């Protein structure tokens, strides 16, 4: 009976109840999303939010590839319309990449393909209506684009992995600036951010980032179809502007295309 919100790259959101998704065994292929949601040709689901209730005190932060962010009250997306509704109006060529559930006092971190990152307070983004376009979250240069958007969590680190299989973890405090009284505070949204990774021809550009805990595992996927799973604790913690270490060894010409945080293998088996 959970409510499931499916967000697509075109800025639309579809609402389904848990029992409307066909149940299948662990090894089954599952059902194609086009048989569950009325998607347009080429439209893909890029984020999903699951909830039992629509809390009036919660928000959703949407982030696009071109660095636009939009905060919307969670309750504004409570709808039973079968065809889905517009959650975000996008510029031509832009795509929604992630939706983050927040509590009204969270910090958001955005990371880009060319190794920049910005951390800002969610209250820098005023709540908007469903048809609004959003505001600038990070200023991009050249052909750079946002590859990851995460919520800052106490006691965790930001794991960044590059296309050539290099990676590192960095303390989230490193993405805060020093305030007038020496305290650590978030940056203002809309700036260029700070250097997150020392990009070189050896490392390749950033492929993805995740906020991870010491007891998590990470899955790294490359375009040849190979997936590895490794404990987050095996990846060293470094400063923001270093090259990191090899996380995944790739065949020639192959690239890392995605990373995902998963529960630790031992706790999963338990």
């Amino acid at each position: 009976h959970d409510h499931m919100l499916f967000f697509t790259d075109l800025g639309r959101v579809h609402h389904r109840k848990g029992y409307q998704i066909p149940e299948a065994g662990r090894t089954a292929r599952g059902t194609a999303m086009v048989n569950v949601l009325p998607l347009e040709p080429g439209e893909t689901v890029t984020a999903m939010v699951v909830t039992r209730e629509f809390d009036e005190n919660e928000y959703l932060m949407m982030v696009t590839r071109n660095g636009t962010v939009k905060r919307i009250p969670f309750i504004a997306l409570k709808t039973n319309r079968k065809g889905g509704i517009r959650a975000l109006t996008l510029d031509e060529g832009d795509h929604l990449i992630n939706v983050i559930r927040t509590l009204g006092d969270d910090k958001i971190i955005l990371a880009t393909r060319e190794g920049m990152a910005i951390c800002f307070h969610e209250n820098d983004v005023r709540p908007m209506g469903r048809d609004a376009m959003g505001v600038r979250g990070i200023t991009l240069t050249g052909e750079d684009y946002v590859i990851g958007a995460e919520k800052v969590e106490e006691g965790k680190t930001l794991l960044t992995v590059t296309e050539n299989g290099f990676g590192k973890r960095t303390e989230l405090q490193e993405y805060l600036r020093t305030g007038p009284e020496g305290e650590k505070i978030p940056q203002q949204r809309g700036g260029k951010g700070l250097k997150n990774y020392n990009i070189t021809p050896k490392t390749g550009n950033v492929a993805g980032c995740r906020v991870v805990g010491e007891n998590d595992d990470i899955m790294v996927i490359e375009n040849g179809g190979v997936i590895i799973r490794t404990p987050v604790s095996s990846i060293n913690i470094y400063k923001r502007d270093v090259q990191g270490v090899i996380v995944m060894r790739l065949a020639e010409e192959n690239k890392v295309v995605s990373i995902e945080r998963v529960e630790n293998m031992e706790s999963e088996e338990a």
Side-chain angles (χ1 to χ4, degrees), residues 157 159 168-169 212-219 229-238 245 247 261-266:
T157 55
L159 170 68
K168 68 178 176 70
R169 288 188 293 152
V212 294
E214 195 70 26
N215 296 322
D216 290 331
D217 283 357
I218 191 76
M219 294 182 78
R229 179 173 183 159
T230 188
V232 161
S233 57
S234 68
I235 302 170
N236 292 344
I237 296 177
Y238 291 106
V245 296
V247 175
R261 179 183 64 83
V262 291
E263 279 193 19
N264 181 267
M265 186 83 80
E266 291 179 8

Side-chain angles (χ1 to χ4, degrees), residues 48-79:
M48 182 178 72
V49 175
V50 179
T51 185
R52 181 50 63 102
E53 300 292 340
F54 287 85
D55 194 324
E56 293 184 0
N57 299 315
E58 289 191 68
Y59 297 87
L60 296 176
M61 182 73 76
M62 304 178 203
V63 182
T64 77
R65 189 177 191 269
N66 290 350
T68 296
V69 294
K70 174 181 173 181
R71 188 161 69 120
I72 187 170
F74 200 4
I75 195 77
L77 296 183
K78 187 175 183 180
T79 175

Side-chain angles (χ1 to χ4, degrees), residues 128-158:
M128 304 174 198
R130 287 196 291 107
D131 294 327
M133 290 189 70
V135 294
R136 175 67 50 207
I138 186 170
T139 296
L140 303 170
T141 58
E143 297 182 358
D144 200 9
Y145 56 86
V146 177
I147 50 83
E150 295 281 293
K151 181 168 72 174
V152 171
E153 297 181 53
E154 198 69 37
K156 297 191 176 183
T157 55
L158 183 71

